[in-house]
């Protein structure tokens, strides 16, 4: 909620971390960082650091949770005890159960679940460092990890929040902006089709403000989509390079 004592944006429109209203924090994504997982991704977004691992499709346990007509996407969001300045008590809490649920529901929208009856597709996201916007970072990384695992899906989800601080609409709220701002709206969407797969709102906005928030967040999702695709392309070209090197080695023998 708004706090009169904390000034989040100055007269020139510059935010506490030097960004303008429509700027994202720096984002970097790497696909295929874990050997054992079927797919994985590591993402840094400002001061957030998240690791996503995908296993499956594999037989669902316990069996009574199986769906005979489709796969179940089970996402598990977890914040490491050392991810925030005050040690976070390990294990699931209401917040991580909620984020795991909304991530599972969002990802089930893109995976061709009907191709894998009775199976489970497990998506683990570990937040190593958290500084606001971790659900968007987690969903963005999870989508890349799913694609890296070769799971058949319609496209990837990109996610970003926008909101309101000191009466102004801004993109991608940082930690203080999240704490002392007036509204935060995390959005997840499939940029190629415009389909919205996650939408939440903390705080209050007028209809006009809501439209501005959506426009900003949707524009940012399109940029993030490009970064996700680039990460997957880099992963693919690296694999191809390794393959070519292996072929060269064989020829030399
Ligand atoms: O991370 P996100 O913005 O998606 O979710 P949030 O519930 O709005 O949390 C905002 C931020 O509060 C997190 O990113 C963490 O930096 C921080 N947080 C924390 O310090 N301790 C917790 N137990 C939970 C969140």
């Amino acid at each position: 909620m708004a706090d009169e004592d904390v000034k989040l944006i100055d007269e020139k429109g510059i935010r506490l971390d030097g960004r303008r209203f429509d700027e994202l924090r720096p984002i970097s994504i790497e696909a295929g960082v874990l050997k054992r997982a079927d797919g994985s991704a590591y993402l840094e977004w400002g001061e957030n650091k998240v690791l996503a691992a995908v296993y499956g499709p594999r037989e669902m346990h316990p069996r009574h949770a199986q769906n005979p007509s489709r796969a179940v996407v089970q996402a598990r969001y977890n914040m490491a005890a050392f991810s925030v300045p005050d040690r976070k008590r390990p294990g699931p809490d209401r917040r991580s159960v909620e984020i795991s649920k909304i991530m599972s529901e969002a990802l089930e929208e893109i995976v061709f679940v009907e191709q894998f009856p009775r199976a489970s597709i497990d998506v683990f996201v570990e937040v190593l460092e958290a500084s606001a916007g971790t659900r968007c970072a987690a969903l963005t990384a999870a989508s890349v990890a799913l694609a890296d695992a070769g799971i058949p899906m319609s496209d990837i989800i990109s996610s970003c929040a926008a909101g309101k601080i000191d009466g102004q609409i801004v993109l991608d709220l940082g930690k203080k902006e999240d704490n002392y701002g007036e509204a935060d709206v995390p959005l997840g969407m499939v940029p190629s089709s415009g389909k919205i797969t996650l939408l939440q709102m903390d705080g209050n906005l007028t209809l006009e403000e809501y439209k501005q928030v959506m426009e900003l967040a949707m524009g940012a999702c399109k940029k993030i989509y490009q970064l996700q695709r680039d990460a997957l392309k880099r992963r693919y070209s690296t694999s191809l390079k390794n393959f070519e090197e292996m072929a060269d080695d064989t020829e030399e023998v």
Side-chain angles (χ1 to χ4, degrees), residues 25 48 77 79 83-89 93 95 98-99 127 129-137 161 173-175 178-179 184 186 200 202:
R25 289 172 286 180
N48 292 312
Y77 166 103
M79 263 175 61
S83 65
V84 285
D86 303 321
R87 175 182 180 271
K88 191 218 161 256
R89 201 168 160 215
D93 52 19
R95 180 175 167 278
E98 173 219 323
I99 299 177
V127 178
E129 276 186 25
S131 185
T134 57
R135 73 195 63 207
C136 297
L173 279 72
K175 184 72 180 79
D178 188 90
N179 282 4
D184 185 23
Q200 297 185 294
D202 186 13

Side-chain angles (χ1 to χ4, degrees), residues 10-65:
D10 71 12
E11 313 71 46
K12 291 184 182 152
I14 305 295
R15 296 154 68 179
L16 289 177
D17 59 4
R19 284 183 292 153
R20 299 206 167 272
F21 79 100
D22 59 351
E23 281 181 71
L24 281 164
R25 289 172 286 180
I27 299 177
S28 65
I29 312 173
E30 196 181 339
V33 290
L34 299 174
K35 263 196 178 161
R36 192 167 308 142
D38 295 319
S40 59
Y42 174 67
L43 177 147
E44 290 189 359
W45 183 328
E47 285 165 21
N48 292 312
K49 292 190 171 74
V50 308
L51 188 58
V54 168
Y55 288 83
R58 59 185 179 184
E59 193 182 356
M60 173 95 172
H61 289 290
R63 283 195 163 177
H64 65 78

